[in-house]
Amino acid sequence: MATKRDYYDILGISKAASAEEIKRAYRKLAMEHHPDKHGGDDVKFKELGEAYETLKDPQKKAGYDQFGHAGAQGNPFGGGGGGGQQYASGFDFNVAGFDFSDILNQFMGGQGQRQSGPQRGRDLEVGITIDFHEAVFGVEKSVTLSLDDACGHCNGNGAEPGTSLKTCPTCNGAGQVTRVQQTILGAIQQTAPCNTCRARGKVPEKPCTTCHGNGIVRRERTIKVNVPAGVDDGATMRLTGNGAAPQGGGTKGDLYIQIRVRADKRFERHERDIHSRAGVGMAEAALGTEIPVETVDGAVKVKVPAGTQSGRIIRLSGRGVPGLNGRGRGDHLVHMTVETPTKLSPKQRQLLEDFAAEGPKKGFFKK
């Protein structure tokens, strides 16, 4: 059986992607690969639909994140809803419509279930693009996000100011409830997060009039990002505590900043060194000269030694990219090209002929 591709890879997103980012990625790729469109791909289109149907559903997404493709179908050990997964022993994992993953989940201590108490908010990811020069010397950027943030009216606890939280009457503060299910093996006890308090163990006496007891509100927030000098294209920065806030209070998630660096046609970067090209005429190359060369620090004068050949590299020490630890800089390497004229005046031609006549004696190169 062919191995299914990762749903996040199919949509080109990270596991920290929000519901809106998942939807946006799906719509873009679905339009690109729609079978009715010229150049569309029916297989890819169906693959995109399958990935989106799983990741847009919080419950299916949670199962997929923990157990992969099997978890997305509600059975982390394989098999689906119908006849179940048949194993080599001949045992059918689903019997009479009962999912034995419930039993194994109980035996394994309820892995994947939330515990009572403060929760942690979701991690978020956003991309920013900076110039080559900004990547070399660092820059401060502002990023505006639409995210779940702690409600300012109740400070994130979900209770109207002046009131307090009380023990959840459903779970008695445990944050989870226990139910007994009759199976062919007898009574099975299973625990699950409490829906009344959302696994917190406490509920507000009077829900906040702004967030209605959730403890979070959707708002735009602008965050300043200090991009360090020497950062490279594709780098990721982590801003702790700048992600989404959880319901009912707790620790905010983290914000991951994906760095993209615009190319600069004048320069090319290799780790901490910067490379560029410069050209001189053949007379200047033969006699030696001084030329201006553009660097990230501005134009500098560079001495071209007499007899310079095409391909020669002139190194400008300390004019490259700073180290991320703040220690030293790389070099700037200038790749020289000797330019041969294609059009000559009569006088230039005569001078070159005279120069050639002064060269090696006739017959020096044997046929």
Side-chain angles (χ1 to χ4, degrees):
M1 180 180 295
T3 302
K4 287 187 177 182
R5 290 178 58 201
D6 180 78
Y7 286 154
Y8 292 100
D9 288 343
I10 291 172
L11 294 177
I13 56 177
S14 73
K15 286 189 176 182
S18 65
E20 182 61 31
E21 289 170 333
I22 293 172
K23 182 190 296 184
R24 189 163 55 243
Y26 168 71
R27 287 180 176 176
K28 177 182 176 182
L29 293 172
M31 290 180 62
E32 180 180 341
H33 297 292
H34 197 285
D36 294 339
K37 183 179 179 182
H38 178 69
D41 190 317
D42 184 59
V43 175
K44 288 186 178 179
F45 184 74
K46 290 180 179 178
E47 192 177 45
L48 287 166
E50 180 182 334
Y52 179 60
E53 285 300 315
T54 296
L55 298 184
K56 76 173 184 179
D57 185 304
Q59 186 173 355
K60 290 182 179 180
K61 183 177 184 294
Y64 177 75
D65 287 345
Q66 187 170 5
F67 298 108
H69 293 284
Q73 305 302 320
N75 184 351
F77 298 94
Q85 176 69 40
Q86 195 75 24
Y87 287 85
S89 63
F91 179 75
D92 193 339
F93 216 65
N94 290 311
V95 179
F98 179 75
D99 188 353
F100 274 79
S101 63
D102 284 345
I103 300 176
L104 292 183
N105 187 56
Q106 179 70 22
F107 290 163
M108 295 172 68
Q111 290 184 10
Q113 296 180 354
R114 294 180 295 174
Q115 302 299 315
S116 62
Q119 304 297 311
R120 184 180 184 278
R122 292 186 302 110
D123 291 337
L124 302 177
E125 182 179 328
V126 67
I128 62 173
T129 302
I130 60 177
D131 295 332
F132 188 92
H133 192 274
E134 293 173 332
V136 173
F137 293 107
V139 67
E140 182 180 87
K141 292 286 185 179
S142 293
V143 176
T144 300
L145 302 171
S146 178
L147 45 66
D148 292 335
D149 208 354
C151 175
H153 186 62
C154 65
N155 292 322
N157 70 1
E160 182 70 13
T163 65
S164 60
L165 298 173
K166 63 180 182 180
T167 301
C168 175
T170 302
C171 65
N172 294 319
Q176 56 187 14
V177 293
T178 302
R179 61 186 176 91
V180 178
Q181 185 171 3
Q182 295 296 329
T183 74
I184 60 175
L185 300 180
I188 298 296
Q189 181 175 290
Q190 185 182 23
T191 59
C194 177
N195 291 326
T196 302
C197 64
R198 300 186 183 90
R200 288 177 287 166
K202 292 184 178 295
V203 294
E205 289 180 342
K206 181 181 179 182
C208 171
T209 55
T210 299
C211 66
H212 308 292
N214 290 324
I216 57 174
V217 291
R218 194 74 175 176
R219 62 158 59 105
E220 283 195 349
R221 185 151 59 95
T222 299
I223 300 171
K224 289 186 177 181
V225 181
N226 290 310
V227 181
V231 71
D232 205 352
D233 182 64
T236 301
M237 294 178 59
R238 175 184 174 186
L239 304 184
T240 304
N242 282 279
Q247 289 185 334
T251 304
K252 290 184 178 181
D254 299 334
L255 176 62
Y256 291 86
I257 309 291
Q258 299 289 339
I259 308 294
R260 294 290 177 264
V261 180
R262 293 190 188 92
D264 190 315
K265 63 181 181 181
R266 300 170 300 171
F267 308 121
E268 186 174 322
R269 176 176 174 175
H270 294 280
E271 296 183 351
R272 292 174 60 189
D273 291 335
I274 296 175
H275 297 250
S276 69
R277 298 185 179 278
V280 293
M282 62 180 188
E284 289 87 351
L287 299 172
T289 187
E290 193 174 68
I291 61 172
V293 171
E294 192 68 28
T295 72
V296 290
D297 298 305
V300 298
K301 289 186 176 181
V302 175
K303 184 177 181 180
V304 179
T308 291
Q309 305 293 314
S310 282
R312 180 168 186 166
I313 297 176
I314 299 177
R315 183 181 296 270
L316 307 180
S317 298
R319 293 194 179 273
V321 180
L324 285 173
N325 58 9
R327 295 180 180 178
R329 292 176 61 179
D331 299 332
H332 185 127
L333 286 77
V334 184
H335 298 251
M336 301 301 303
T337 300
V338 178
E339 301 168 348
T340 303
T342 56
K343 294 183 179 180
L344 298 172
S345 67
K347 183 176 181 180
Q348 288 173 327
R349 176 175 291 276
Q350 183 60 54
L351 289 171
L352 283 176
E353 289 176 350
D354 292 342
F355 175 78
E358 292 294 325
K361 295 182 179 180
K362 186 177 180 180
F364 181 83
F365 296 104
K366 297 182 180 179
K367 294 183 181 180

